[in-house]
Amino acid sequence: MKLINEEYLLTSLKASEVSAFDAIYSAYSKTLYAYLYDRLNDEDVCSDILQDVFISLWEKREYLQIETSLKSYLFQAIKYKISDQYRRNYKYQKYLNDLGDYLNTHFTPPVDNIDQKKQLSSIMQTIDGFPARMKEIFILSRFEHLSINTIAEKLSISPQTVKNQITKALSILRNENAETYLTNLTVLMFLIDKLR
């Protein structure tokens, strides 16, 4: 896309012309998604990030100050989101390690260590299998210790939606791992702090 076309699209976008937004999305979304997928290899996460970037573009349209090109601006936004995702994944892995340490310290059931590791692995897989948005909310709440209101503001959703997602996530954890109730009782004590 030529620079003059970008300038025209940006001017139209700032005037809240939906056709300009659609043209920008059509021009860049596939390339941005491919870039995301090459680095994150997760369709749900990539789709969510792409959606967030374009929602942000629309919401900030009237105040956009793009000094390079629109393409560069969008790629910079994507790179920031990828860094944020890596940071969250690091915190997630650290949290799982902390959870394992907690179990080793506080849980001494009449089962051998292999059973305990299997139970912990099952819990980790359950968390990892949450839908992308639920997992994001759960990570922000339980791993990054953000409040309900802070998460709601960060994700532009209602506090009630955040509470509902956390409650549903904890319910899934209970139901998916019901056969190891004693272990999960300990795990849930670690996971369930008050809904702030």
Side-chain angles (χ1 to χ4, degrees):
M1 180 177 288
K2 295 179 181 177
L3 184 59
I4 187 68
N5 290 338
E6 282 196 353
E7 289 176 352
Y8 173 76
L9 287 175
L10 278 171
T11 300
S12 300
L13 181 68
K14 288 181 180 183
S16 299
E17 293 182 20
V18 175
S19 60
F21 177 83
D22 290 342
I24 293 167
Y25 185 86
S26 295
Y28 297 118
S29 61
K30 288 182 181 178
T31 305
L32 292 169
Y33 182 87
Y35 184 85
L36 277 165
Y37 191 79
D38 186 52
R39 284 149 183 80
L40 300 178
N41 196 33
D42 186 312
E43 291 181 3
D44 289 338
V45 171
C46 292
S47 295
D48 284 348
I49 289 175
L50 189 66
Q51 180 180 341
D52 287 347
V53 166
F54 277 99
I55 287 173
S56 177
L57 180 69
W58 178 256
E59 289 176 342
K60 297 176 180 177
R61 66 192 179 280
E62 296 177 18
Y63 311 103
L64 283 175
Q65 297 294 328
I66 297 178
E67 297 177 2
T68 56
S69 67
L70 177 58
K71 182 177 181 180
S72 296
Y73 174 86
L74 291 171
F75 268 97
Q76 190 59 41
I78 288 290
K79 287 174 184 176
Y80 173 80
K81 293 282 188 181
I82 290 171
S83 296
D84 194 43
Q85 188 65 34
Y86 285 152
R87 182 181 59 82
R88 287 180 188 170
N89 287 344
Y90 172 78
K91 285 194 173 186
Y92 174 64
Q93 292 303 322
K94 183 180 182 304
Y95 181 80
L96 292 182
N97 291 336
D98 290 347
L99 177 57
D101 292 343
Y102 182 87
L103 282 175
N104 288 333
T105 303
H106 295 88
F107 179 54
T108 53
V111 294
D112 60 31
N113 195 42
I114 294 174
D115 284 342
Q116 184 175 341
K117 286 181 180 177
K118 280 178 64 178
Q119 292 162 2
L120 178 58
S121 175
S122 175
I123 292 163
M124 291 176 180
Q125 286 175 3
T126 301
I127 295 170
D128 203 43
F130 288 162
R133 187 56 120 184
M134 180 187 294
K135 184 176 175 182
E136 181 179 26
I137 290 170
F138 195 78
I139 287 171
L140 290 173
S141 173
R142 271 34 190 185
F143 304 172
E144 300 191 22
H145 309 292
L146 299 185
S147 71
I148 295 292
N149 289 336
T150 302
I151 295 170
E153 184 176 339
K154 182 179 179 71
L155 301 181
S156 300
I157 55 179
S158 72
Q160 189 58 51
T161 298
V162 175
K163 288 181 183 179
N164 291 346
Q165 287 292 301
I166 294 171
T167 300
K168 188 172 181 182
L170 293 171
S171 177
I172 291 171
L173 272 174
R174 289 186 193 100
N175 294 335
E176 291 283 323
N177 299 280
E179 71 281 1
T180 55
Y181 176 75
L182 187 55
T183 302
N184 282 287
L185 186 61
T186 306
V187 171
L188 291 173
M189 287 171 61
F190 184 75
L191 291 175
I192 303 174
D193 52 17
K194 60 184 178 181
L195 289 181
R196 291 159 288 182

